[in-house]
Amino acid sequence: MRVDKWLWQARFFKTRSLSAKTVTTGKLRLNGVIVSKPAHAVKPGDMLTFPQGDWIRLIEVSGLGTRRGPAAEAALLYTDHSQPKPKRNKPLQNPKFEGKGRPTGRARRQLSSLTKAPLE
């Protein structure tokens, strides 16, 4: 089976074109060798290494699928040997806004004075 199609069926990428783009940019290693063609064949027992965001995935191919099914079905296609996903260091919310509803006029002016460049 094609490696880009397998990555898509195993639900590592949302679209097949994204998985093909990862392969063509040389970011995928198949058994330690860089693969640059999306049509490269993959078989059970192969080890795939590729980045996914800021996380390096190390995946062993366990089976070949026939369709892109639900996540439970896709999880049977591989064994994950990756390190645990790294935690985010930065907070998800803006620290200046405390989430207490709409800012007042004074707070809005203070925020805009921080973001605007002074006129000279």
Side-chain angles (χ1 to χ4, degrees):
M1 174 180 277
R2 291 173 58 114
V3 69
D4 65 331
K5 189 172 181 180
W6 187 88
L7 287 169
W8 172 70
Q9 284 183 354
R11 294 188 164 265
F12 288 107
F13 295 97
K14 194 170 186 173
T15 63
R16 190 166 163 193
S17 61
L18 285 175
S19 65
K21 184 178 180 182
T22 301
V23 176
T24 56
T25 56
K27 295 180 180 177
L28 178 87
R29 290 179 183 258
L30 178 67
N31 297 325
V33 179
I34 295 175
V35 176
S36 61
K37 302 223 178 207
H40 200 281
V42 67
K43 62 187 182 307
D46 285 345
M47 294 293 289
L48 301 173
T49 308
F50 58 93
Q52 198 171 29
D54 56 350
W55 191 18
I56 302 295
R57 302 296 301 261
L58 182 62
I59 304 297
E60 180 183 354
V61 178
S62 300
L64 303 177
T66 56
R67 67 184 185 121
R68 180 182 164 103
E73 185 179 315
L76 300 175
L77 299 178
Y78 63 90
T79 306
D80 194 359
H81 297 289
S82 308
Q83 297 291 327
K85 191 169 185 176
K87 299 194 182 221
R88 292 181 177 227
N89 292 334
K90 54 186 172 184
L92 295 177
Q93 289 185 345
N94 187 355
K96 295 176 186 173
F97 180 65
E98 298 175 0
K100 296 181 181 177
R102 188 172 172 182
T104 63
R106 180 177 180 219
R108 209 169 37 246
R109 285 189 299 273
Q110 287 174 344
L111 284 173
S112 67
S113 70
L114 293 174
T115 58
K116 291 183 182 177
L119 298 174
E120 293 185 33

